[in-house]
Amino acid sequence: MTDSHCFDTSRLDALFAPRSIAVVGASDQASKIGGIPLDYLLRFGYGGALYAVNPRASRVQGLPAHERLAAIGAPVDLAIVAVPQSQVAGVLEDAAAARVQSMVLFSSGYAETGSEGTAAQQALARRAQEAGIRLIGPNCLGFMRPGHQVYATFSPAPGGGLVRPGRIGMVSQSGAFGAYAYSLARERGLGLSLWATTGNEADVQLADGLAWLARDPETDVIMAYMEGCRDGPRLRAALALAQERGKPVVMCKVGTSALGAAAAASHTASLAGNDAVYDAVFRRYGVLRAHSITDFFALAASASIARAPKGRSIGLFTVSGGVGAMMADDASAAGLDVAPLSDAAQRQLREWVPFAAPRNPVDITGQVTNDMTLLERSARLMLADRQFDSWLGFFAAGGLSDAFWPVLQSLVQTLRTHHPDTLLAVSTLCPPERRDALEALGCLVFADPGAAIRCIGALARLHETPQALPAMADAGSALHLPAGTLSEQRSMALLAEAGVPVVPHRLVRTAAEAAQAVQAAQEMGGRIVLKVCSDAIAHKSDVGGVALNLTDAAGAQAAFDRILANARQARPDAHIDGALAAPMVQGGVECIAGVHRDPVFGPVLMFGLGGIHAEILRDVSLRLLPITRDDALAMVRELRAFAVLDGARGRPRVDLDSIADTLCALAGFAQRAGATLESAEINPLIVRPREDGGCVAVDALVIGREAA
């Protein structure tokens, strides 16, 4: 079972598929907020029952006016509410009495205005829930369902021209962006099944819209614009449902602030960052994240036109060597495999065009102008030779040529017939009607070959995302952590009990015990480190509480006295247990591993190389819990600096299995601690070859929290 099964979207049918609509605050003037939706519904042919509610009028836009909702005397699935904030509470009571099923609330003056507005919005949400009314808004632009002529909005966008009905659903938290996106969809020729804005989200959130679209038989692709999320489990459930139903989600998420990260005393939360966690969420559920408006629409259009490729291999065909080189670079950056054609295929291409570049990209040059049969022959040869998952052809402005157009159209028809499972794309300038004709054949059309490759690379990821969420492994009995920072000794003990390999250590309380520790290390030919030990001191180096490379008793005694004196001077309020003595770990690669509680999505696991890689380059990988062992290995391999661990330039290859085991143990610890864990960090985690002992944690910090 996945986390999508908790989603009940059935009660949203009355909202998004209403059989009857009442406009409260209906105006006879089609230019006013209360008049626009009524005008749209009448003008564009809504086929359900339609009512106008206005106590000061007898008729509104040709319809009889009712004094209030309860006076209608017939079922109302949806009430579109366009009244001032001061009248909303009364309308809600009237809606409850009339057993209205859902409401769209345009009114502002709620959470967007401050604390008083927030309290009013919370009261509104509670009353709507009590009455069984699903509410979208307040402070929203409403929604539209073009194929059913439902226009529950006061946006001026439909007045400038209607978007055609189609199979792409769009949900936006921003009304302004939503209206802009509606107009762009209309200009691009995209057909929409639903257009919805969620405003302040007192009840219906963006996640609810995603989940409803995931179950909507009239929707194939989902577009979403998100500014933030208050309910992480709800969003995860919606994305999991879309993934289960095989419906690509294209997400434009803005905002990169590290919400809540600064509250943690560990590096883990700040390294993860709010936006990086969203990236991890999107990656887990196969969401196609768009970082520009252009990519937002290109990805959605592409996902609606063509099936995702089954792999990352791509054949590149061009009539320009320079553009071919650019395409190869872009494909490499997108993680696509530009495998060369076989020697036999290359020889055949050279027989046809002696000066061709036949490897991949295949450049048959301008010779195609003299012999247009070269186009189809070369493309079919490429796909027969390598069975590429995707194929992209660059034809410059050929799509504008009346002489070339029949050749291009025939090419796409032939390739589609003989290679139905290959994603086909062309990059050419062409008028909209020709683009539509190629797209009707399931071929993507781009003016920019770089945009084409970015889309193909993104679509290829859809087949690489796991389709089932891992079940929570049995990590043992529940663990209740005390609130606050735990000392290194307590932290190391907890992690060792969870299965994390930790460096041997002992707590020394006197200078004499420190001398004994260094003498024991001397007998094994090693050195020790002394670190002040206190629940109140998370970062020991900051207070001068660390002494390294101790090799003799006198030095150890002096170091013990020094670091404790430093700590007491810096933190006179802190209770100090003593110092932790541990052998110095030689060699290996310094890494960092941790888990922190994200304020929206809960526990997030992080792994990265330590030092400059983590602090400056931020080369870390993240996963939401739970994870599998394969997830842990993937986290290690996806680091940009993975070659450092994998034996680059003659370095010894570290024990990757040991890293994976450690990450799984850390995840299991977080599972056991549940809501009482704020963060747990191993910094550094020294990773070494298997013959040298694999991983070992040489410092750790656990922070507990009060469970809600």
Side-chain angles (χ1 to χ4, degrees):
M1 178 176 291
T2 72
D3 54 1
S4 68
H5 288 76
C6 65
F7 238 115
D8 177 16
T9 58
S10 59
R11 291 180 56 228
L12 292 177
D13 290 344
L15 175 66
F16 293 132
R19 295 165 297 180
S20 54
I21 300 175
V23 180
V24 181
S27 171
D28 212 31
Q29 297 182 43
S31 60
K32 290 191 172 182
I33 290 179
I36 292 171
L38 189 59
D39 172 57
Y40 286 165
L41 291 163
L42 289 167
R43 182 156 40 116
F44 301 142
Y46 172 64
L50 185 58
Y51 308 102
V53 176
N54 186 329
R56 295 186 297 275
S58 59
R59 298 188 73 81
V60 177
Q61 295 190 36
L63 294 177
H66 301 271
E67 184 178 359
R68 54 194 179 93
L69 286 166
I72 292 174
V76 174
D77 282 348
L78 171 64
I80 301 172
V81 180
V83 300
Q85 192 258 11
S86 60
Q87 300 177 25
V88 169
V91 171
L92 182 55
E93 292 303 325
D94 183 28
R99 299 179 180 243
V100 171
Q101 299 296 301
S102 63
M103 289 176 58
V104 173
L105 184 56
F106 298 154
S107 313
S108 58
Y110 289 94
E112 78 279 5
T113 64
S115 57
E116 289 187 11
T118 298
Q121 181 172 306
Q122 291 170 345
L124 180 75
R126 284 193 300 271
R127 183 65 187 104
Q129 184 177 26
E130 290 170 359
I133 297 172
R134 295 308 307 262
L135 171 68
I136 190 166
N139 190 35
C140 77
L141 207 54
F143 76 92
M144 295 177 265
R145 203 161 173 227
H148 296 258
Q149 295 76 47
V150 176
Y151 290 86
T153 182
F154 65 95
S155 168
L162 297 182
V163 72
R164 66 180 179 85
R167 303 193 65 82
I168 299 175
M170 183 186 296
V171 187
S172 172
Q173 288 181 325
S174 164
F177 179 87
Y180 175 62
Y182 178 94
S183 300
L184 289 178
R186 180 183 61 218
E187 297 306 312
R188 174 61 179 80
L190 297 186
L192 300 183
S193 59
L194 176 74
W195 175 93
T197 64
T198 56
N200 288 9
E201 297 188 344
D203 172 27
V204 174
Q205 299 181 13
L206 178 131
D208 298 287
L210 298 182
W212 190 84
L213 288 168
R215 289 190 170 129
D216 176 29
E218 299 179 17
T219 299
D220 294 331
V221 176
I222 302 169
M223 300 177 72
Y225 174 87
M226 182 166 62
E227 296 171 346
C229 174
R230 299 192 309 272
D231 190 338
R234 198 168 178 174
L235 178 61
R236 289 182 67 173
L239 295 176
L241 182 59
Q243 186 181 41
E244 288 174 7
R245 298 298 177 97
K247 297 189 179 183
V249 176
V250 181
M251 181 74 72
C252 185
K253 162 70 175 69
V254 298
T256 58
S257 63
L259 176 63
S266 70
H267 291 79
T268 304
S270 59
L271 284 172
N274 177 253
D275 196 59
V277 174
Y278 276 100
D279 260 343
V281 172
F282 297 156
R283 183 171 56 248
R284 172 62 192 82
Y285 296 103
V287 173
L288 304 177
R289 185 171 187 180
H291 293 280
S292 69
I293 301 298
T294 299
D295 284 352
F296 188 47
F297 282 91
L299 282 170
S302 298
S304 67
I305 292 164
R307 289 182 295 180
K310 294 181 178 179
R312 291 198 158 268
S313 67
I314 186 169
L316 300 174
F317 182 92
T318 179
V319 295
S320 165
V323 173
M326 292 171 58
M327 291 163 66
D329 290 343
D330 289 339
S332 177
L336 296 172
D337 178 16
V338 189
L341 298 184
S342 68
D343 291 343
Q346 292 188 48
R347 283 194 301 270
Q348 179 64 78
L349 286 167
R350 282 201 181 96
E351 287 181 14
W352 293 340
V353 184
F355 41 85
R359 183 176 169 83
N360 188 19
V362 170
D363 175 19
I364 60 169
T365 73
Q367 187 65 19
V368 69
T369 305
N370 295 325
D371 182 1
M372 289 195 180
T373 67
L374 277 172
L375 180 61
E376 189 171 309
R377 282 190 285 150
S378 302
R380 292 191 63 178
L381 175 64
M382 291 177 68
L383 288 171
D385 183 61
R386 285 296 188 209
Q387 295 294 319
F388 291 110
D389 300 308
S390 303
W391 182 89
L392 169 63
F394 173 74
F395 303 110
L400 298 174
S401 166
D402 291 340
F404 185 73
W405 167 243
V407 178
L408 180 57
Q409 192 172 30
S410 173
L411 169 70
V412 172
Q413 289 172 330
T414 299
L415 295 184
R416 175 55 62 229
T417 299
H418 290 90
H419 301 278
D421 295 329
T422 300
L423 184 148
L424 299 179
V426 297
S427 175
T428 185
L429 301 179
C430 63
E433 62 272 14
R434 290 181 177 176
R435 181 196 65 202
D436 292 345
L438 295 179
E439 289 180 347
L441 295 170
C443 177
L444 307 182
V445 182
F446 295 85
D448 175 12
I453 288 171
R454 287 196 301 273
C455 278
I456 294 169
L459 292 174
R461 290 198 297 271
L462 293 176
H463 277 300
E464 298 169 0
T465 306
Q467 294 297 305
L469 196 66
M472 278 286 193
D474 183 6
S477 59
L479 178 66
H480 190 281
L481 299 177
T485 302
L486 305 187
S487 70
E488 182 180 354
Q489 181 198 28
R490 297 172 72 189
S491 299
M492 294 278 264
L494 285 167
L495 294 180
E497 189 271 335
V500 173
V502 303
V503 69
H505 58 276
R506 59 178 286 199
L507 180 67
V508 296
R509 301 181 184 277
T510 65
E513 289 180 354
Q516 293 171 1
V518 80
Q519 287 170 346
Q522 278 181 315
E523 294 173 3
M524 296 182 289
R527 307 177 178 195
I528 72 162
V529 57
L530 285 178
K531 296 176 282 186
V532 69
C533 188
S534 170
D535 285 348
I537 301 176
H539 302 300
K540 299 169 283 292
S541 297
D542 294 348
V543 300
V546 179
L548 303 173
N549 293 312
L550 301 174
T551 58
D552 62 82
Q557 288 179 315
F560 179 89
D561 291 337
R562 183 176 66 255
I563 64 173
L564 262 66
N566 290 342
R568 289 186 177 117
Q569 182 177 4
R571 292 293 307 274
D573 59 319
H575 172 77
I576 297 175
D577 299 323
L580 209 64
M584 296 285 291
V585 177
Q586 304 298 319
V589 180
E590 184 177 316
C591 295
I592 181 171
V595 61
H596 85 282
R597 177 166 296 279
D598 181 80
V600 175
F601 294 105
V604 179
L605 184 68
M606 183 272 288
F607 175 75
L609 267 64
I612 189 173
H613 294 284
E615 297 290 349
I616 298 177
L617 303 180
R618 305 184 73 83
D619 186 13
V620 298
S621 58
L622 305 176
R623 289 294 185 279
L624 301 180
L625 299 187
I627 65 163
T628 64
R629 196 169 186 282
D630 286 343
D631 289 327
L633 284 170
M635 290 178 69
V636 179
R637 293 183 179 278
E638 71 191 25
L639 295 179
R640 295 192 298 274
F642 171 68
V644 175
L645 304 176
D646 201 36
R649 301 181 68 88
R651 298 174 63 102
R653 188 172 188 265
V654 305
D655 186 356
L656 302 181
D657 289 331
S658 178
I659 301 176
D661 291 341
T662 299
L663 292 176
C664 288
L666 190 57
F669 169 74
Q671 177 184 333
R672 288 181 58 207
T676 67
L677 176 68
E678 182 63 40
S679 68
E681 181 175 282
I682 304 168
N683 185 20
L685 175 71
I686 303 298
V687 299
R688 302 167 294 184
R690 183 172 302 174
E691 58 270 20
D692 293 337
C695 282
V696 62
V698 299
D699 202 342
L701 177 67
V702 172
I703 303 175
R705 67 190 289 268
E706 292 286 353

